[in-house]
Amino acid sequence: MILIKENLFLEDGRALSIETGKFARKANGSAVVRMGNTSLLATVVIYKEYKEDLKFIPLTIDYREKYSAGGKIPGGYIKREGRPSEEEILIMRLVDRLLRPLFKDNYYQEIQIMISLLSYDINVLPDGLAGLVASTAVSISEIYFKGPVSTVRIIRINDAFIINPGIEELKKAELDLIVGGTNNYILLVEGEMREISEIEMMEAIVKAHKYIQLQIEAQISLITKKKKFLNKRLYNIKLYNYYYKYLNFNLKVFYIKEKINFLYYEDIYYIYKGCLFKQKRSKQIEKILNEIKFHLSNDSIVINNIEIDIIFDEIKKEIIKKILLKENIRLDGRSLDDIRTICSKVDCLPGVHGSAIFTRGETQALSTVTLGSSLDVNKIDNAIIRAKQRFYLHYNFPPFSTGEIKFLKGVSRREIGHGNLAQRALKNIIVTPYTLRVVSDVLESNGSSSMATVCASTLALMDAGITVKRPVSGISMGLIMNYLTGEAIILSDILGDEDYIGDMDFKMTGTESGITACQMDMKISGITYDVLSNTIFKAKKGLLFLIKKMLTTLSCPRKSLKFPAPKIYTFYIPKKLIGTVIGSGGKIIQEIQVSTETNIKIKEKEKLGIIEILGKNETKLKSAILKIKNITFVPKVGKIYKAKVKNRKKFCVLVEISKSVEGLLHISEISWKILTKVKNFIRTGDIIYVKYLGKNKKLGKIKLSHKILFYRNYHI
């Protein structure tokens, strides 16, 4: 066992180490990254043979956080880790987007990368280290990989940047980004911000990239030490070279490509230049593809349908890029900066608490808002996080939105990722005591459906009467690179086909005051600061244009909640009176909820009890409030209260100030005159005024006075 290790140090003195050779030695590549007490293990295994009939790299990323890493035991009946949480899926997507562009396009051997959180330190979150450990494991394996790469999580608190922060620091952050890249280029950006400027965002990216470069240097040093183990296995070289040449340089493929170009190039060219709607364009392209397959089936050259599809895709991409680069014409006829036609409507579903539909070109999202109490929070309890979300957004992408039929297998990773992006875009601009669930259903899709979700959800929140600091919009930007000249063309509000053939999909959301969230996917091995900066500034112009369009539909949040929406009321009581409100076995609080048709939640905070009452009927809601306030009524010294005489005794009367407060009024405190009998002055059922004088320190009983109200000619 040969342990190879590299260390590097951050500016704040913290150490980060990467090592290999100790764990998982049967894997084709394995590495461990440690920072503080946070440790991650990544393993890479390559399938021994290439897979036929594939159009994509068969790469699988799996990330799991073991409960033992955080010193926890899984909750629930089954005491072992189950299917991945949403937080784990988001990290899988992040690592996939970092690594996938750096494999050769035609590498068709199956690759499985598994990342495990072995140990967790509250001062170092693991997601910023996942890209580093995965890249290290891949780089020392026998895969052809254009790395190494790395990721860094960077936050900003009071203008100070922190690299790879802890969970408590994250709560105070005004900027939270995960940045990935190679030594020279930026490859991945994802995160949320509290309305920061474009310059501030670039500053954070540049700062993070410096640490990425340090981590890449450490990986290169580790790889150099292990180079004697890096000899590519013979079967991998043979299969890779064979398959790569087979798809790109083989005379047979060259012949087929030239034949398709000769017979159908102009037809394909004019379809893509014809500014057709997606569905019509797709039908015409499919018709040509079927003709090609039929034509080639009678050819002497033997070729299968998958190979034809791959070659045809290459031809399509070349044609679309040529139209964009040389003629600056997009598939729907727009200029590079134009945004598609926008149409939006609110209050489209009168039975819900808030709704909006947002249409941009051939992409349409329907968002609904549901208001709830703290009983409806989204509870997160995994290996490292225990939290309650009072705002959460669910994104659905049904197959009919693209005119397809698919078997529904539950929520996809894509839906989780897009929903999380939209949630992060909106969560910091909402001001409300309610728990909010937003659901976005994509009804039609031709690019930028997640950004349409942001726009639709903003309008739905405003339609529900929820206070938003400022409206949020979202836009997707594309990139077409000319590899011969190095020219980069940036596209605003990209279509689905432009995303497919393009080199970047950059999603950005924000308000008039700044950026709130972003996500960048690359299909090439990174972009420069200049290209990224230009994309961000151009995206901001698009956001401002969209906000103006949205405000023509609804200029501000509604002043009141809609009729179906529940009303919420929150107030405080002394902590010691919580039990009084609940009653024995919950009898009192249950009776109040049933009789007033409300939901009541009580929680403790320091010396107070927080009462939260939710109800749809305002009259019954006020009744519930009154009942609790009567139960928890605490008189104040020196205050005058109306009291009802409940019982008379020889030397005192029992009076009721509220349902929870009763006291004895002594005969000596009834009148300045000397009374011999109470009944000569007060009768049962009388309403009188009394002044609260406090409690008897020895006996603990309350002291009341009626006669003091007439002292010095005092009148009520």
Side-chain angles (χ1 to χ4, degrees):
M1 180 174 68
I2 301 173
L3 177 64
I4 304 169
K5 187 174 182 179
E6 283 293 321
N7 294 308
L8 61 98
F9 297 91
L10 304 184
E11 287 180 354
D12 58 11
R14 290 182 298 164
L16 188 153
S17 68
I18 53 175
E19 63 182 56
T20 187
K22 186 176 180 180
F23 296 103
R25 288 172 292 165
K26 291 289 190 296
N28 295 102
S30 68
V32 173
V33 166
R34 290 189 174 91
M35 186 171 180
N37 288 329
T38 296
S39 301
L40 292 121
L41 167 68
T43 59
V44 180
V45 175
I46 311 158
Y47 192 65
K48 301 301 184 290
E49 304 289 336
Y50 74 87
K51 289 199 168 187
E52 296 182 356
D53 299 339
L54 287 177
K55 298 182 186 179
F56 56 89
I57 299 169
L59 171 66
T60 304
I61 308 288
D62 190 84
Y63 170 83
R64 297 303 174 99
E65 294 174 347
K66 299 184 181 299
Y67 275 76
S68 59
K72 293 183 180 179
I73 295 174
Y77 181 74
I78 300 174
K79 298 299 180 185
R80 69 176 299 159
E81 289 80 1
R83 66 181 187 179
S85 66
E86 288 195 5
E87 291 72 31
E88 289 170 320
I89 288 171
L90 292 172
I91 296 175
M92 293 178 201
R93 280 173 50 83
L94 187 143
V95 176
D96 188 290
R97 299 202 319 272
L98 176 74
L99 300 182
R100 191 175 289 273
L102 300 176
F103 294 104
K104 280 289 186 182
D105 291 338
N106 304 312
Y107 194 94
Y108 292 129
Q109 286 178 256
E110 188 174 359
I111 306 164
Q112 185 179 46
I113 300 172
M114 300 186 71
I115 308 167
S116 300
L117 177 65
L118 303 179
S119 175
Y120 171 61
D121 182 344
I122 194 172
N123 297 312
V124 183
L125 286 164
D127 46 7
L129 302 173
L132 169 61
V133 72
S135 170
T136 306
V138 173
S139 296
I140 61 176
S141 71
E142 54 217 47
I143 301 173
Y144 188 95
F145 181 64
K146 295 180 285 185
V149 292
S150 190
T151 55
V152 158
R153 187 167 198 163
I154 184 169
I155 68 169
R156 192 183 71 185
I157 303 174
N158 299 327
D159 297 327
F161 288 108
I162 301 172
I163 299 296
N164 294 338
I167 196 164
E168 292 302 318
E169 292 171 317
L170 196 63
K171 295 175 183 177
K172 306 170 190 174
E174 57 208 24
L175 174 149
D176 173 21
L177 278 178
I178 292 183
V179 181
T182 64
N183 208 31
N184 300 314
Y185 301 109
I186 301 298
L187 190 57
L188 177 146
V189 181
E190 180 169 328
E192 65 182 74
M193 314 91 192
R194 298 193 180 185
E195 298 179 283
I196 66 165
S197 70
E198 302 90 307
I199 294 172
E200 289 174 302
M201 183 171 169
M202 279 304 304
E203 183 186 6
I205 292 169
V206 172
K207 181 82 171 176
H209 194 219
K210 291 179 181 178
Y211 288 94
I212 289 170
Q213 291 168 332
L214 291 175
Q215 293 176 4
I216 289 172
E217 286 178 16
Q219 289 182 72
I220 292 171
S221 178
L222 187 80
I223 294 164
T224 303
K225 292 178 181 178
K226 193 177 169 59
K227 62 182 178 180
K228 63 180 180 179
F229 300 104
L230 288 179
N231 294 326
K232 305 285 190 276
R233 292 185 183 178
L234 187 60
Y235 69 81
N236 281 325
I237 293 173
K238 282 184 175 179
L239 287 175
Y240 174 77
N241 287 341
Y242 165 75
Y243 208 56
Y244 185 77
K245 289 177 181 178
Y246 176 77
L247 289 173
N248 293 276
F249 305 114
N250 191 280
L251 290 175
K252 179 177 70 171
V253 175
F254 178 78
Y255 165 77
I256 296 297
K257 191 171 182 179
E258 287 299 305
K259 190 169 186 177
I260 293 172
N261 277 329
F262 178 75
L263 294 173
Y264 296 100
Y265 185 90
E266 284 193 2
D267 293 336
I268 300 168
Y269 176 83
Y270 283 110
I271 288 172
Y272 282 116
K273 197 177 176 181
C275 305
L276 303 173
F277 286 110
K278 179 183 178 182
Q279 200 166 5
K280 189 174 182 180
R281 184 171 64 242
S282 298
K283 284 182 179 178
Q284 292 189 13
I285 289 294
E286 187 178 359
K287 183 181 177 182
I288 288 178
L289 179 59
N290 290 334
E291 287 179 14
I292 290 170
K293 289 179 178 178
F294 176 77
H295 186 83
L296 293 177
S297 65
N298 299 317
D299 203 289
S300 58
I301 299 293
V302 179
I303 189 166
N304 64 41
N305 285 339
I306 293 293
E307 292 164 340
I308 295 172
D309 288 340
I310 293 170
I311 295 167
F312 189 66
D313 274 352
E314 288 180 3
I315 293 170
K316 285 193 304 181
K317 289 179 180 180
E318 288 172 6
I319 290 171
I320 297 171
K321 285 190 174 185
K322 180 181 177 181
I323 294 170
L324 283 164
L325 289 167
K326 292 188 176 180
E327 303 179 43
N328 282 352
I329 297 174
R330 299 175 67 174
L331 296 178
D332 56 0
R334 285 180 292 150
S335 70
L336 302 181
D337 297 338
D338 281 349
I339 292 173
R340 289 171 287 175
T341 304
I342 292 167
C343 177
S344 56
K345 182 183 177 182
V346 296
D347 199 21
C348 42
L349 300 174
V352 302
H353 300 165
S355 62
I357 191 162
F358 182 88
T359 306
R360 178 163 47 193
E362 296 178 86
T363 296
Q364 186 179 75
L366 171 66
S367 286
T368 58
V369 176
T370 307
L371 281 63
S373 70
S374 55
L375 294 170
D376 302 305
V377 295
N378 183 32
K379 296 178 181 177
I380 300 173
D381 187 7
N382 56 35
I384 64 174
I385 300 173
R386 180 172 290 172
K388 294 179 180 179
Q389 290 181 334
R390 295 203 69 152
F391 170 72
Y392 45 99
L393 189 150
H394 294 150
Y395 167 98
N396 299 315
F397 193 84
F400 66 76
S401 64
T402 54
E404 297 175 296
I405 297 173
K406 288 182 181 177
F407 181 70
L408 299 178
K409 299 179 180 179
V411 183
S412 68
R413 292 186 178 188
R414 181 180 183 274
E415 288 172 306
I416 290 171
H418 282 2
N420 179 262
L421 175 61
Q423 178 177 309
R424 298 171 86 174
L426 294 165
K427 73 176 190 180
N428 290 319
I429 60 99
I430 296 169
V431 182
T432 181
Y434 291 91
T435 294
L436 299 176
R437 179 180 184 240
V438 177
V439 177
S440 175
D441 293 294
V442 178
L443 305 182
E444 186 180 358
S445 178
N446 185 14
S448 306
S449 62
S450 61
M451 297 296 94
T453 287
V454 172
C455 298
S457 299
T458 297
L459 289 171
L461 288 164
M462 293 167 67
D463 179 55
I466 300 301
T467 301
V468 295
K469 295 175 184 176
R470 280 162 290 276
V472 180
S473 67
I475 190 169
S476 287
M477 310 295 291
L479 177 72
I480 306 293
M481 292 292 297
N482 187 331
Y483 301 112
L484 297 176
T485 64
E487 179 188 8
I489 291 180
I490 300 168
L491 308 176
S492 295
D493 183 26
I494 57 175
L495 300 170
D497 283 339
E498 290 171 341
D499 182 16
Y500 177 69
I501 64 99
D503 299 309
M504 176 188 75
D505 178 12
F506 182 85
K507 303 179 182 75
M508 194 170 97
T509 70
T511 68
E512 292 178 348
S513 299
I515 304 165
T516 60
C518 69
Q519 184 181 93
M520 185 175 82
D521 299 333
M522 297 298 303
K523 294 174 187 171
I524 55 176
S525 54
I527 55 174
T528 62
Y529 293 155
D530 287 342
V531 173
L532 181 54
S533 179
N534 290 336
T535 303
I536 293 171
F537 277 91
K538 188 176 279 193
K540 183 61 184 292
K541 291 180 181 178
L543 294 180
L544 296 177
F545 173 81
L546 287 164
I547 289 169
K548 287 180 181 178
K549 286 285 187 181
M550 290 163 60
L551 292 178
T552 60
T553 301
L554 189 62
S555 60
C556 62
R558 299 192 188 278
K559 293 182 180 179
S560 59
L561 303 178
K562 292 186 178 181
F563 169 70
K567 312 297 184 294
I568 196 167
Y569 189 86
T570 304
F571 59 97
Y572 301 91
I573 63 170
K575 185 177 178 180
K576 61 184 179 181
L577 294 179
I578 291 176
T580 306
V581 176
I582 295 172
S584 178
K587 184 178 179 182
I588 294 174
I589 195 170
Q590 288 174 15
E591 185 277 324
I592 295 172
Q593 289 182 118
V594 171
S595 63
T596 60
E597 297 179 5
T598 57
N599 287 323
I600 301 172
K601 175 75 180 294
I602 305 176
K603 59 182 179 181
E604 298 178 10
K605 186 177 181 181
E606 297 175 353
K607 295 182 179 180
L608 296 173
I610 304 173
I611 306 286
E612 184 184 87
I613 307 177
L614 190 82
K616 292 185 177 180
N617 187 305
E618 196 161 348
T619 303
K620 292 182 177 180
L621 181 66
K622 289 179 179 178
S623 174
I625 294 167
L626 184 61
K627 286 185 177 186
I628 293 177
K629 286 191 172 181
N630 283 335
I631 293 171
T632 60
F633 174 76
V634 178
K636 294 183 179 180
V637 176
K639 292 286 184 180
I640 299 166
Y641 298 100
K642 187 186 288 187
K644 183 179 180 180
V645 178
K646 293 193 71 176
N647 195 7
R648 294 184 304 176
K649 295 186 179 180
K650 188 173 181 180
F651 298 108
C652 64
V653 291
L654 179 66
V655 296
E656 181 185 74
I657 296 175
S658 74
K659 289 191 176 181
S660 62
V661 179
E662 293 179 345
L664 291 174
L665 180 63
H666 194 266
I667 192 171
S668 62
E669 293 294 335
I670 294 175
S671 174
W672 292 104
K673 296 178 181 179
I674 299 174
L675 301 178
T676 56
K677 293 182 180 180
V678 171
K679 66 180 181 178
N680 293 337
F681 196 84
I682 293 177
R683 294 171 298 180
T684 301
D686 282 352
I687 302 296
I688 63 172
Y689 287 91
V690 295
K691 189 172 185 178
Y692 179 60
L693 303 177
K695 283 189 176 182
N696 186 303
K697 292 182 180 180
K698 290 184 179 180
L699 302 176
K701 294 181 179 180
I702 67 172
K703 295 164 62 178
L704 301 171
S705 177
H706 177 67
K707 72 179 184 180
I708 200 171
L709 302 181
F710 304 99
Y711 182 65
R712 294 180 183 174
N713 296 319
Y714 186 96
H715 297 286
I716 300 171

